[in-house]
Amino acid sequence: QVQLMESGGGSVHTGDALTLSCAASKRSIRTYTMGWFRQTPGREREFVATISSDGDSQRYEGSVEGRFTISRDNAKNRVYLQMTMLRPEDTAVYYCAGDPKKSFGGIWHVSAWGQGTQVTVSS
């Protein structure tokens, strides 16, 4: 099974930018959709963005659309999340997700998760 490891989190201020990286190991991710999710204490893990296996199609959660960009480099087995115009409400632990699929009932099923990286945005 693929192993995922996030990096790039940190503490920033409102309006700043940050780029997260997800490094995959043990198998190639080139045939899989990949994604980013985030979670705050006491809340469910929520969808942020997904990218198709060839990188041609991206989807975003409404509040991050226009501010975040998901990308991938299949040759390097990596996925990225460029975050700009960060807001305090973006504060969360961000998780890389391997092969995320959403059921008809709206439930996400993910084959592999990273360990998460903390992003803190202060005003």
Side-chain angles (χ1 to χ4, degrees), residues 87-115:
R87 306 166 180 168
E89 52 264 41
D90 294 319
T91 295
V93 177
Y94 283 73
Y95 295 90
C96 184
D99 195 25
K101 292 184 172 68
K102 192 174 183 180
S103 69
F104 287 114
I107 304 298
W108 284 98
H109 300 275
V110 175
S111 297
W113 293 105
Q115 85 290 347

PDB file of all heavy atoms in Angstrom, residues 87-115:
ATOM      1  N   ARG A  87      -6.578  32.434   5.671  1.00  0.00           N
ATOM      2  CA  ARG A  87      -7.470  33.030   6.665  1.00  0.00           C
ATOM      3  C   ARG A  87      -7.381  32.220   7.955  1.00  0.00           C
ATOM      4  O   ARG A  87      -7.031  31.036   7.917  1.00  0.00           O
ATOM      5  CB  ARG A  87      -8.914  32.992   6.158  1.00  0.00           C
ATOM      6  CG  ARG A  87      -9.128  33.607   4.792  1.00  0.00           C
ATOM      7  CD  ARG A  87     -10.487  33.230   4.249  1.00  0.00           C
ATOM      8  NE  ARG A  87     -10.757  33.795   2.934  1.00  0.00           N
ATOM      9  CZ  ARG A  87     -11.768  33.430   2.157  1.00  0.00           C
ATOM     10  NH1 ARG A  87     -12.616  32.490   2.567  1.00  0.00           N
ATOM     11  NH2 ARG A  87     -11.926  34.004   0.974  1.00  0.00           N
ATOM     12  N   PRO A  88      -7.730  32.815   9.074  1.00  0.00           N
ATOM     13  CA  PRO A  88      -7.711  32.056  10.331  1.00  0.00           C
ATOM     14  C   PRO A  88      -8.566  30.784  10.261  1.00  0.00           C
ATOM     15  O   PRO A  88      -8.204  29.768  10.877  1.00  0.00           O
ATOM     16  CB  PRO A  88      -8.268  33.057  11.344  1.00  0.00           C
ATOM     17  CG  PRO A  88      -7.854  34.388  10.796  1.00  0.00           C
ATOM     18  CD  PRO A  88      -7.980  34.256   9.300  1.00  0.00           C
ATOM     19  N   GLU A  89      -9.660  30.828   9.500  1.00  0.00           N
ATOM     20  CA  GLU A  89     -10.522  29.640   9.403  1.00  0.00           C
ATOM     21  C   GLU A  89      -9.892  28.518   8.573  1.00  0.00           C
ATOM     22  O   GLU A  89     -10.451  27.413   8.506  1.00  0.00           O
ATOM     23  CB  GLU A  89     -11.899  30.007   8.829  1.00  0.00           C
ATOM     24  CG  GLU A  89     -11.855  30.773   7.522  1.00  0.00           C
ATOM     25  CD  GLU A  89     -11.959  32.290   7.721  1.00  0.00           C
ATOM     26  OE1 GLU A  89     -11.328  32.814   8.679  1.00  0.00           O
ATOM     27  OE2 GLU A  89     -12.647  32.931   6.897  1.00  0.00           O
ATOM     28  N   ASP A  90      -8.748  28.765   7.955  1.00  0.00           N
ATOM     29  CA  ASP A  90      -8.014  27.703   7.268  1.00  0.00           C
ATOM     30  C   ASP A  90      -7.150  26.906   8.241  1.00  0.00           C
ATOM     31  O   ASP A  90      -6.549  25.903   7.856  1.00  0.00           O
ATOM     32  CB  ASP A  90      -7.117  28.289   6.171  1.00  0.00           C
ATOM     33  CG  ASP A  90      -7.903  28.927   5.048  1.00  0.00           C
ATOM     34  OD1 ASP A  90      -8.928  28.365   4.628  1.00  0.00           O
ATOM     35  OD2 ASP A  90      -7.487  30.020   4.589  1.00  0.00           O
ATOM     36  N   THR A  91      -7.072  27.362   9.481  1.00  0.00           N
ATOM     37  CA  THR A  91      -6.282  26.648  10.487  1.00  0.00           C
ATOM     38  C   THR A  91      -6.818  25.238  10.672  1.00  0.00           C
ATOM     39  O   THR A  91      -8.007  25.043  10.926  1.00  0.00           O
ATOM     40  CB  THR A  91      -6.323  27.402  11.825  1.00  0.00           C
ATOM     41  OG1 THR A  91      -5.674  28.675  11.662  1.00  0.00           O
ATOM     42  CG2 THR A  91      -5.623  26.607  12.917  1.00  0.00           C
ATOM     43  N   ALA A  92      -5.944  24.251  10.524  1.00  0.00           N
ATOM     44  CA  ALA A  92      -6.347  22.843  10.601  1.00  0.00           C
ATOM     45  C   ALA A  92      -5.118  21.962  10.438  1.00  0.00           C
ATOM     46  O   ALA A  92      -4.038  22.448  10.075  1.00  0.00           O
ATOM     47  CB  ALA A  92      -7.364  22.509   9.517  1.00  0.00           C
ATOM     48  N   VAL A  93      -5.315  20.687  10.681  1.00  0.00           N
ATOM     49  CA  VAL A  93      -4.326  19.695  10.265  1.00  0.00           C
ATOM     50  C   VAL A  93      -4.712  19.259   8.854  1.00  0.00           C
ATOM     51  O   VAL A  93      -5.861  18.881   8.609  1.00  0.00           O
ATOM     52  CB  VAL A  93      -4.298  18.474  11.204  1.00  0.00           C
ATOM     53  CG1 VAL A  93      -3.309  17.437  10.696  1.00  0.00           C
ATOM     54  CG2 VAL A  93      -3.943  18.912  12.624  1.00  0.00           C
ATOM     55  N   TYR A  94      -3.777  19.340   7.945  1.00  0.00           N
ATOM     56  CA  TYR A  94      -4.027  19.007   6.541  1.00  0.00           C
ATOM     57  C   TYR A  94      -3.469  17.616   6.245  1.00  0.00           C
ATOM     58  O   TYR A  94      -2.320  17.315   6.578  1.00  0.00           O
ATOM     59  CB  TYR A  94      -3.386  20.052   5.634  1.00  0.00           C
ATOM     60  CG  TYR A  94      -4.187  21.328   5.577  1.00  0.00           C
ATOM     61  CD1 TYR A  94      -4.206  22.196   6.672  1.00  0.00           C
ATOM     62  CD2 TYR A  94      -4.949  21.660   4.458  1.00  0.00           C
ATOM     63  CE1 TYR A  94      -4.962  23.365   6.646  1.00  0.00           C
ATOM     64  CE2 TYR A  94      -5.702  22.819   4.419  1.00  0.00           C
ATOM     65  CZ  TYR A  94      -5.704  23.665   5.516  1.00  0.00           C
ATOM     66  OH  TYR A  94      -6.455  24.821   5.489  1.00  0.00           O
ATOM     67  N   TYR A  95      -4.303  16.817   5.591  1.00  0.00           N
ATOM     68  CA  TYR A  95      -3.959  15.439   5.288  1.00  0.00           C
ATOM     69  C   TYR A  95      -3.939  15.193   3.784  1.00  0.00           C
ATOM     70  O   TYR A  95      -4.858  15.618   3.064  1.00  0.00           O
ATOM     71  CB  TYR A  95      -4.976  14.481   5.909  1.00  0.00           C
ATOM     72  CG  TYR A  95      -5.000  14.479   7.410  1.00  0.00           C
ATOM     73  CD1 TYR A  95      -5.831  15.342   8.112  1.00  0.00           C
ATOM     74  CD2 TYR A  95      -4.195  13.595   8.129  1.00  0.00           C
ATOM     75  CE1 TYR A  95      -5.853  15.341   9.500  1.00  0.00           C
ATOM     76  CE2 TYR A  95      -4.225  13.580   9.516  1.00  0.00           C
ATOM     77  CZ  TYR A  95      -5.054  14.459  10.191  1.00  0.00           C
ATOM     78  OH  TYR A  95      -5.069  14.445  11.567  1.00  0.00           O
ATOM     79  N   CYS A  96      -2.930  14.487   3.347  1.00  0.00           N
ATOM     80  CA  CYS A  96      -2.876  14.004   1.976  1.00  0.00           C
ATOM     81  C   CYS A  96      -3.706  12.725   1.886  1.00  0.00           C
ATOM     82  O   CYS A  96      -3.660  11.888   2.801  1.00  0.00           O
ATOM     83  CB  CYS A  96      -1.422  13.728   1.604  1.00  0.00           C
ATOM     84  SG  CYS A  96      -1.151  13.216  -0.099  1.00  0.00           S
ATOM     85  N   ALA A  97      -4.466  12.579   0.810  1.00  0.00           N
ATOM     86  CA  ALA A  97      -5.378  11.448   0.659  1.00  0.00           C
ATOM     87  C   ALA A  97      -5.117  10.716  -0.644  1.00  0.00           C
ATOM     88  O   ALA A  97      -5.097  11.340  -1.721  1.00  0.00           O
ATOM     89  CB  ALA A  97      -6.820  11.948   0.689  1.00  0.00           C
ATOM     90  N   GLY A  98      -4.951   9.412  -0.533  1.00  0.00           N
ATOM     91  CA  GLY A  98      -4.731   8.597  -1.706  1.00  0.00           C
ATOM     92  C   GLY A  98      -6.021   7.955  -2.204  1.00  0.00           C
ATOM     93  O   GLY A  98      -6.730   7.322  -1.435  1.00  0.00           O
ATOM     94  N   ASP A  99      -6.328   8.155  -3.474  1.00  0.00           N
ATOM     95  CA  ASP A  99      -7.485   7.542  -4.124  1.00  0.00           C
ATOM     96  C   ASP A  99      -8.795   7.872  -3.415  1.00  0.00           C
ATOM     97  O   ASP A  99      -9.568   6.969  -3.060  1.00  0.00           O
ATOM     98  CB  ASP A  99      -7.283   6.024  -4.207  1.00  0.00           C
ATOM     99  CG  ASP A  99      -8.245   5.355  -5.173  1.00  0.00           C
ATOM    100  OD1 ASP A  99      -8.727   6.034  -6.093  1.00  0.00           O
ATOM    101  OD2 ASP A  99      -8.536   4.149  -4.989  1.00  0.00           O
ATOM    102  N   PRO A 100      -9.081   9.154  -3.163  1.00  0.00           N
ATOM    103  CA  PRO A 100     -10.346   9.506  -2.514  1.00  0.00           C
ATOM    104  C   PRO A 100     -11.526   9.311  -3.458  1.00  0.00           C
ATOM    105  O   PRO A 100     -11.475   9.702  -4.624  1.00  0.00           O
ATOM    106  CB  PRO A 100     -10.156  10.979  -2.161  1.00  0.00           C
ATOM    107  CG  PRO A 100      -9.198  11.486  -3.190  1.00  0.00           C
ATOM    108  CD  PRO A 100      -8.293  10.341  -3.513  1.00  0.00           C
ATOM    109  N   LYS A 101     -12.583   8.699  -2.960  1.00  0.00           N
ATOM    110  CA  LYS A 101     -13.793   8.494  -3.741  1.00  0.00           C
ATOM    111  C   LYS A 101     -14.984   8.894  -2.880  1.00  0.00           C
ATOM    112  O   LYS A 101     -15.064   8.536  -1.716  1.00  0.00           O
ATOM    113  CB  LYS A 101     -13.929   7.031  -4.163  1.00  0.00           C
ATOM    114  CG  LYS A 101     -12.902   6.552  -5.177  1.00  0.00           C
ATOM    115  CD  LYS A 101     -13.187   5.119  -5.597  1.00  0.00           C
ATOM    116  CE  LYS A 101     -12.305   4.670  -6.746  1.00  0.00           C
ATOM    117  NZ  LYS A 101     -10.905   4.562  -6.341  1.00  0.00           N
ATOM    118  N   LYS A 102     -15.926   9.598  -3.486  1.00  0.00           N
ATOM    119  CA  LYS A 102     -17.111  10.032  -2.755  1.00  0.00           C
ATOM    120  C   LYS A 102     -18.289   9.159  -3.178  1.00  0.00           C
ATOM    121  O   LYS A 102     -18.589   9.036  -4.353  1.00  0.00           O
ATOM    122  CB  LYS A 102     -17.407  11.504  -3.052  1.00  0.00           C
ATOM    123  CG  LYS A 102     -18.447  12.127  -2.134  1.00  0.00           C
ATOM    124  CD  LYS A 102     -18.555  13.621  -2.403  1.00  0.00           C
ATOM    125  CE  LYS A 102     -19.526  14.280  -1.454  1.00  0.00           C
ATOM    126  NZ  LYS A 102     -19.646  15.729  -1.709  1.00  0.00           N
ATOM    127  N   SER A 103     -18.945   8.556  -2.196  1.00  0.00           N
ATOM    128  CA  SER A 103     -20.078   7.693  -2.494  1.00  0.00           C
ATOM    129  C   SER A 103     -21.313   8.521  -2.826  1.00  0.00           C
ATOM    130  O   SER A 103     -21.351   9.736  -2.613  1.00  0.00           O
ATOM    131  CB  SER A 103     -20.373   6.785  -1.291  1.00  0.00           C
ATOM    132  OG  SER A 103     -20.873   7.572  -0.216  1.00  0.00           O
ATOM    133  N   PHE A 104     -22.349   7.840  -3.329  1.00  0.00           N
ATOM    134  CA  PHE A 104     -23.604   8.535  -3.623  1.00  0.00           C
ATOM    135  C   PHE A 104     -24.202   9.138  -2.363  1.00  0.00           C
ATOM    136  O   PHE A 104     -24.942  10.109  -2.434  1.00  0.00           O
ATOM    137  CB  PHE A 104     -24.591   7.581  -4.279  1.00  0.00           C
ATOM    138  CG  PHE A 104     -24.231   7.249  -5.693  1.00  0.00           C
ATOM    139  CD1 PHE A 104     -23.859   5.962  -6.055  1.00  0.00           C
ATOM    140  CD2 PHE A 104     -24.250   8.230  -6.680  1.00  0.00           C
ATOM    141  CE1 PHE A 104     -23.516   5.661  -7.354  1.00  0.00           C
ATOM    142  CE2 PHE A 104     -23.919   7.932  -7.994  1.00  0.00           C
ATOM    143  CZ  PHE A 104     -23.546   6.646  -8.325  1.00  0.00           C
ATOM    144  N   GLY A 105     -23.879   8.558  -1.220  1.00  0.00           N
ATOM    145  CA  GLY A 105     -24.378   9.100   0.035  1.00  0.00           C
ATOM    146  C   GLY A 105     -23.577  10.263   0.566  1.00  0.00           C
ATOM    147  O   GLY A 105     -23.872  10.815   1.626  1.00  0.00           O
ATOM    148  N   GLY A 106     -22.521  10.658  -0.188  1.00  0.00           N
ATOM    149  CA  GLY A 106     -21.721  11.807   0.218  1.00  0.00           C
ATOM    150  C   GLY A 106     -20.590  11.476   1.161  1.00  0.00           C
ATOM    151  O   GLY A 106     -19.956  12.395   1.697  1.00  0.00           O
ATOM    152  N   ILE A 107     -20.340  10.198   1.370  1.00  0.00           N
ATOM    153  CA  ILE A 107     -19.259   9.787   2.271  1.00  0.00           C
ATOM    154  C   ILE A 107     -17.986   9.576   1.456  1.00  0.00           C
ATOM    155  O   ILE A 107     -18.013   8.929   0.416  1.00  0.00           O
ATOM    156  CB  ILE A 107     -19.620   8.475   2.998  1.00  0.00           C
ATOM    157  CG1 ILE A 107     -20.946   8.619   3.740  1.00  0.00           C
ATOM    158  CG2 ILE A 107     -18.489   8.076   3.946  1.00  0.00           C
ATOM    159  CD1 ILE A 107     -20.955   9.668   4.815  1.00  0.00           C
ATOM    160  N   TRP A 108     -16.882  10.129   1.962  1.00  0.00           N
ATOM    161  CA  TRP A 108     -15.588   9.946   1.298  1.00  0.00           C
ATOM    162  C   TRP A 108     -14.953   8.644   1.763  1.00  0.00           C
ATOM    163  O   TRP A 108     -14.935   8.320   2.954  1.00  0.00           O
ATOM    164  CB  TRP A 108     -14.657  11.108   1.631  1.00  0.00           C
ATOM    165  CG  TRP A 108     -14.984  12.361   0.880  1.00  0.00           C
ATOM    166  CD1 TRP A 108     -15.713  13.429   1.318  1.00  0.00           C
ATOM    167  CD2 TRP A 108     -14.580  12.677  -0.461  1.00  0.00           C
ATOM    168  NE1 TRP A 108     -15.786  14.382   0.340  1.00  0.00           N
ATOM    169  CE2 TRP A 108     -15.094  13.952  -0.758  1.00  0.00           C
ATOM    170  CE3 TRP A 108     -13.824  12.010  -1.435  1.00  0.00           C
ATOM    171  CZ2 TRP A 108     -14.895  14.579  -1.990  1.00  0.00           C
ATOM    172  CZ3 TRP A 108     -13.617  12.637  -2.656  1.00  0.00           C
ATOM    173  CH2 TRP A 108     -14.146  13.897  -2.923  1.00  0.00           C
ATOM    174  N   HIS A 109     -14.413   7.916   0.806  1.00  0.00           N
ATOM    175  CA  HIS A 109     -13.642   6.712   1.092  1.00  0.00           C
ATOM    176  C   HIS A 109     -12.241   6.939   0.553  1.00  0.00           C
ATOM    177  O   HIS A 109     -12.076   7.241  -0.633  1.00  0.00           O
ATOM    178  CB  HIS A 109     -14.287   5.493   0.432  1.00  0.00           C
ATOM    179  CG  HIS A 109     -15.684   5.240   0.903  1.00  0.00           C
ATOM    180  ND1 HIS A 109     -15.963   4.512   2.047  1.00  0.00           N
ATOM    181  CD2 HIS A 109     -16.883   5.657   0.425  1.00  0.00           C
ATOM    182  CE1 HIS A 109     -17.276   4.468   2.224  1.00  0.00           C
ATOM    183  NE2 HIS A 109     -17.854   5.170   1.262  1.00  0.00           N
ATOM    184  N   VAL A 110     -11.265   6.794   1.430  1.00  0.00           N
ATOM    185  CA  VAL A 110      -9.880   7.084   1.071  1.00  0.00           C
ATOM    186  C   VAL A 110      -9.021   5.856   1.330  1.00  0.00           C
ATOM    187  O   VAL A 110      -9.100   5.247   2.395  1.00  0.00           O
ATOM    188  CB  VAL A 110      -9.357   8.280   1.897  1.00  0.00           C
ATOM    189  CG1 VAL A 110      -7.878   8.512   1.634  1.00  0.00           C
ATOM    190  CG2 VAL A 110     -10.166   9.535   1.578  1.00  0.00           C
ATOM    191  N   SER A 111      -8.199   5.496   0.361  1.00  0.00           N
ATOM    192  CA  SER A 111      -7.374   4.290   0.490  1.00  0.00           C
ATOM    193  C   SER A 111      -6.179   4.478   1.408  1.00  0.00           C
ATOM    194  O   SER A 111      -5.753   3.527   2.073  1.00  0.00           O
ATOM    195  CB  SER A 111      -6.892   3.840  -0.889  1.00  0.00           C
ATOM    196  OG  SER A 111      -7.983   3.488  -1.706  1.00  0.00           O
ATOM    197  N   ALA A 112      -5.625   5.673   1.435  1.00  0.00           N
ATOM    198  CA  ALA A 112      -4.439   5.905   2.258  1.00  0.00           C
ATOM    199  C   ALA A 112      -4.404   7.345   2.733  1.00  0.00           C
ATOM    200  O   ALA A 112      -4.723   8.266   1.961  1.00  0.00           O
ATOM    201  CB  ALA A 112      -3.173   5.588   1.472  1.00  0.00           C
ATOM    202  N   TRP A 113      -4.010   7.518   3.960  1.00  0.00           N
ATOM    203  CA  TRP A 113      -3.857   8.856   4.554  1.00  0.00           C
ATOM    204  C   TRP A 113      -2.416   9.086   4.962  1.00  0.00           C
ATOM    205  O   TRP A 113      -1.724   8.155   5.388  1.00  0.00           O
ATOM    206  CB  TRP A 113      -4.709   8.995   5.815  1.00  0.00           C
ATOM    207  CG  TRP A 113      -6.197   8.988   5.642  1.00  0.00           C
ATOM    208  CD1 TRP A 113      -7.057   7.978   5.938  1.00  0.00           C
ATOM    209  CD2 TRP A 113      -7.009  10.074   5.172  1.00  0.00           C
ATOM    210  NE1 TRP A 113      -8.350   8.352   5.674  1.00  0.00           N
ATOM    211  CE2 TRP A 113      -8.354   9.633   5.210  1.00  0.00           C
ATOM    212  CE3 TRP A 113      -6.746  11.374   4.735  1.00  0.00           C
ATOM    213  CZ2 TRP A 113      -9.424  10.449   4.818  1.00  0.00           C
ATOM    214  CZ3 TRP A 113      -7.816  12.178   4.346  1.00  0.00           C
ATOM    215  CH2 TRP A 113      -9.128  11.718   4.387  1.00  0.00           C
ATOM    216  N   GLY A 114      -1.999  10.345   4.876  1.00  0.00           N
ATOM    217  CA  GLY A 114      -0.738  10.719   5.492  1.00  0.00           C
ATOM    218  C   GLY A 114      -0.949  10.976   6.970  1.00  0.00           C
ATOM    219  O   GLY A 114      -2.062  10.847   7.484  1.00  0.00           O
ATOM    220  N   GLN A 115       0.120  11.387   7.652  1.00  0.00           N
ATOM    221  CA  GLN A 115       0.018  11.602   9.101  1.00  0.00           C
ATOM    222  C   GLN A 115      -0.485  13.000   9.444  1.00  0.00           C
ATOM    223  O   GLN A 115      -0.845  13.276  10.582  1.00  0.00           O
ATOM    224  CB  GLN A 115       1.382  11.361   9.774  1.00  0.00           C
ATOM    225  CG  GLN A 115       2.346  12.554   9.783  1.00  0.00           C
ATOM    226  CD  GLN A 115       2.886  12.900   8.407  1.00  0.00           C
ATOM    227  OE1 GLN A 115       2.752  12.139   7.451  1.00  0.00           O
ATOM    228  NE2 GLN A 115       3.507  14.071   8.297  1.00  0.00           N
TER     229      GLN A 115
END
